[in-house]
Amino acid sequence: MADSYVWGWILCSVMTLVALCSVVLKRRKGNGISATRTESVKSVPAFNGECRSADGSDADVIIVGAGVAGSALAHTLGKDGRRVHVIERDLMEPDRIVGELLQPGGYLKLIELGLEDCVEEIDAQQVFGYALFKDGKHTRLSYPLEKFHSDVSGRSFHNGRFIQRMREKSASLPNVRLEQGTVTSLLEEEGTIRGVQYKTKDGQELKAFAPLTIVCDGCFSNLRRSLCNPKVDVPSCFVGLVLENCHLPYSNHGHVILADPSPILFYPISSTEVRCLVDVPGQKVPSIANGEMANYLKTVVAPQVPPEIYDSFVAAVDKGNIRTMPNRSMPAAPYPTPGALLMGDAFNMRHPLTGGGMTVALSDIVVLRDLLRPLRNLNDAPTLCKYLESFYTLRKPVASTINTLAGALYKVFCASPDQARKEMRQACFDYLSLGGVFSTGPISLLSGLNPRPLSLVLHFFAVAIYGVGRLLLPFPSPKRIWIGARLISGASGIILPIIKAEGVRQMFFPATVPAYYRAPPVK
């Protein structure tokens, strides 16, 4: 049995390399700036090279948005001595149904940034892994945390409480200014972003200037069009509920039910509350107002949840506090622009099924912090822009692994009438149930503890080959061989387009990209 797995891995490697070679030479389309760029950019006259805000106070960096990425970045740059001006549309505590699960890899980044105390005093719950349910069977997948301190684990919490803690911590620094206002446009002078125009909460129109503007205004960003080529996909929507006093089958674990038509998630967000996210494929969901949604949840979803959760789930539906959220994915496709940078969901999104968004954002902040640390001033915008091109390459191995896993896993976990897709879904469940390297490998990828692109591809195709092996043993038939061939073809059709969108060269061979070796400017 062990030999068959070894040969499966070898075959998987060969197939993967052949498939990747077919796309590795394809270049991305030119980074020509689209005509829509002018919608969020305004020209400003020259200021003799000075970047001074309208109210007379200086800033080294303007950060647009104070969500997870913006708040963490403000504290990080402020702690390094930068003068930071943060402009956030609404400083009230956010109320969202996503951004509530921080993977262990993200928690390690939080520690690295000195923000680990932001998960304290908000009733955050430790998460030690996942439980996977399918057709009455279940398996537990634990995070491989043996080599880490006992405090290292995932964390789940109310998103708004977590953000408020980070805002408070960043605002406590004397060189960080947090202001409520709505940024309406970026200010451009001769191709360089010099700052922003914004409207204060009192309605006053102001301009703020800084050598570097970092846009972190979230998934609904109205500024990203000027800094990247956004190709936003909305594969599904989440329907969110809060279950009260619910006891999950596995405490301190996320629960994923491979339901029909798509997955259902459960995870604790406080000591008395459990978040339920029901995935609904497509961009249209049943109406909440006329009761269609409640009926859908009771008749279609409720029969598929574990018996231990059923009563709490129905009670939450009856209570009526049902929320929806479109699930967006968008590969990072930046226009390197002097004086400006994109971060967070404004820059890059993936399906939230795997809870990897905050891990990617915090990892990006660590990369950017390390790049900016050697620089005394940021005023040479063209040189800084060229240097920061390395950011897009250095972030890729971690970000692309988490992005690709999220997109691929969502497609595998969704139900399908196609027999080959059904076999792939069952093979994934059985593969993860094998234990050992077959579960710890994938869960290490999902948790952000081992974000290696090649490991992801190997495990993905190992699942496919495992599925083919299940079909062909003990006796193959023409029909089973045909289904197996379509299974391999379908697996390739799932993962290879995602890899291509992420960028094959940057994802697998970042050291071959010239920007990887950019040195900090001498001045």
Side-chain angles (χ1 to χ4, degrees):
M1 180 64 74
D3 289 342
S4 65
Y5 288 128
V6 171
W7 283 109
W9 279 80
I10 294 172
L11 178 60
C12 164
S13 302
V14 173
M15 292 174 61
T16 302
L17 290 173
V18 171
L20 290 177
C21 285
S22 67
V23 296
V24 71
L25 296 178
K26 293 184 181 180
R27 309 277 300 188
R28 283 189 177 182
K29 294 181 180 179
N31 284 341
I33 299 178
S34 66
T36 57
R37 188 176 194 275
T38 56
E39 294 177 5
S40 56
V41 176
K42 290 187 178 181
S43 296
V44 293
F47 289 89
N48 298 322
E50 292 184 357
C51 291
R52 187 174 295 275
S53 63
D55 64 359
S57 63
D58 293 333
D60 298 312
V61 180
I62 292 172
I63 296 176
V64 182
V68 172
S71 299
L73 183 61
H75 178 267
T76 300
L77 297 182
K79 198 169 62 170
D80 281 354
R82 308 282 182 192
R83 296 164 298 174
V84 182
H85 182 186
V86 185
I87 304 172
E88 161 59 34
R89 182 181 58 84
D90 185 359
L91 289 175
M92 297 292 289
E93 182 177 310
D95 183 15
R96 302 181 66 203
I97 64 170
V98 292
E100 298 172 318
L101 178 61
L102 180 66
Q103 297 288 359
Y107 182 72
L108 289 174
K109 296 298 179 184
L110 209 63
I111 293 173
E112 197 171 342
L113 295 171
L115 291 166
E116 67 274 18
D117 58 339
C118 291
V119 297
E120 298 173 2
E121 300 177 9
I122 60 172
D123 200 15
Q125 303 298 297
Q126 285 191 291
V127 178
F128 298 110
Y130 282 87
L132 200 58
F133 293 75
K134 184 180 186 296
D135 299 332
K137 297 180 180 179
H138 54 88
T139 185
R140 183 166 62 176
L141 309 171
S142 298
Y143 294 137
L145 301 173
E146 297 81 7
K147 297 180 181 179
F148 298 96
H149 187 272
S150 60
D151 188 53
V152 175
S153 65
R155 291 293 194 283
S156 53
F157 39 68
H158 282 271
N159 173 268
R161 297 176 186 175
F162 179 56
I163 287 177
Q164 289 301 90
R165 285 280 288 158
M166 289 205 292
R167 286 175 178 174
E168 291 167 6
K169 185 152 186 177
S170 61
S172 68
L173 297 175
N175 50 325
V176 175
R177 177 188 172 203
L178 197 59
E179 181 180 8
Q180 183 165 311
T182 302
V183 174
T184 54
S185 62
L186 303 174
L187 301 177
E188 181 183 25
E189 176 199 339
E190 299 177 357
T192 298
I193 302 300
R194 298 296 186 186
V196 300
Q197 180 169 308
Y198 68 103
K199 184 179 292 186
T200 68
K201 63 179 179 180
D202 299 326
Q204 187 179 3
E205 291 273 0
L206 295 178
K207 294 178 180 179
F209 298 92
L212 181 61
T213 299
I214 303 177
V215 176
C216 310
D217 57 344
C219 60
F220 299 106
S221 172
N222 64 343
L223 302 175
R224 68 159 70 101
R225 287 174 181 263
S226 60
L227 302 174
C228 75
N229 179 24
K231 295 181 180 178
V232 180
D233 181 36
V234 184
S236 66
C237 296
F238 267 156
V239 178
L241 299 164
V242 174
L243 281 58
E244 297 178 343
N245 299 310
C246 170
H247 298 288
L248 293 170
Y250 294 91
S251 60
N252 297 103
H253 281 68
H255 291 59
V256 182
I257 289 83
L258 302 190
D260 186 358
S262 51
I264 307 167
L265 306 180
F266 294 92
Y267 53 87
I269 54 174
S270 75
S271 55
T272 60
E273 297 166 301
V274 169
R275 169 67 70 194
C276 170
L277 294 174
V278 178
D279 186 84
V280 179
Q283 300 183 29
K284 292 184 178 180
V285 298
S287 171
I288 296 175
N290 64 13
E292 287 182 6
M293 177 64 77
N295 182 62
Y296 174 82
L297 293 173
K298 286 184 177 181
T299 58
V300 177
V301 178
Q304 301 185 74
V305 305
E308 302 94 325
I309 307 175
Y310 181 87
D311 289 341
S312 296
F313 179 82
V314 173
V317 175
D318 288 337
K319 190 174 181 180
N321 187 19
I322 303 172
R323 309 269 302 280
T324 63
M325 174 80 179
N327 294 325
R328 296 164 175 251
S329 62
M330 184 185 77
Y335 301 136
T337 305
L341 201 66
L342 274 170
M343 295 283 285
D345 282 351
F347 174 45
N348 183 206
M349 294 180 283
R350 77 290 311 147
H351 196 284
L353 172 69
T354 57
M358 290 189 287
T359 300
V360 172
L362 295 170
S363 176
D364 284 354
I365 291 169
V366 170
V367 172
L368 183 62
R369 177 201 65 182
D370 294 343
L371 286 172
L372 292 179
R373 266 185 173 170
L375 307 182
R376 290 195 172 185
N377 75 74
L378 310 174
N379 286 294
D380 188 347
T383 303
L384 179 64
C385 177
K386 191 172 182 66
Y387 170 59
L388 288 181
E389 285 181 15
S390 59
F391 166 74
Y392 302 118
T393 302
L394 293 171
R395 71 178 291 274
K396 266 295 176 180
V398 173
S400 60
T401 299
I402 293 173
N403 294 344
T404 304
L405 178 64
L409 207 58
Y410 175 70
K411 291 184 178 180
V412 170
F413 279 1
C414 283
S416 171
D418 180 71
Q419 187 61 36
R421 288 286 297 273
K422 287 182 180 179
E423 291 291 342
M424 182 69 177
R425 193 184 194 214
Q426 186 63 49
C428 185
F429 179 83
D430 291 344
Y431 181 89
L432 293 171
S433 300
L434 290 172
V437 68
F438 306 107
S439 63
T440 58
I443 203 71
S444 293
L445 294 164
L446 186 146
S447 64
L449 296 172
N450 179 33
R452 296 182 181 177
L454 186 57
S455 180
L456 165 62
V457 173
L458 290 175
H459 276 290
F460 187 81
F461 279 102
V463 169
I465 292 167
Y466 177 76
V468 173
R470 292 170 67 253
L471 284 167
L472 301 185
L473 295 175
F475 302 108
S477 67
K479 180 180 179 181
R480 287 172 172 267
I481 291 173
W482 173 240
I483 294 174
R486 289 199 297 114
L487 193 157
I488 294 292
S489 174
S492 301
I494 287 173
I495 197 169
L496 294 183
I498 302 174
I499 290 173
K500 184 180 178 182
E502 289 292 327
V504 175
R505 187 180 179 190
Q506 287 183 314
M507 184 172 176
F508 292 95
F509 315 108
T512 68
V513 180
Y516 185 84
Y517 301 99
R518 293 271 158 82
V522 176
K523 292 191 288 183

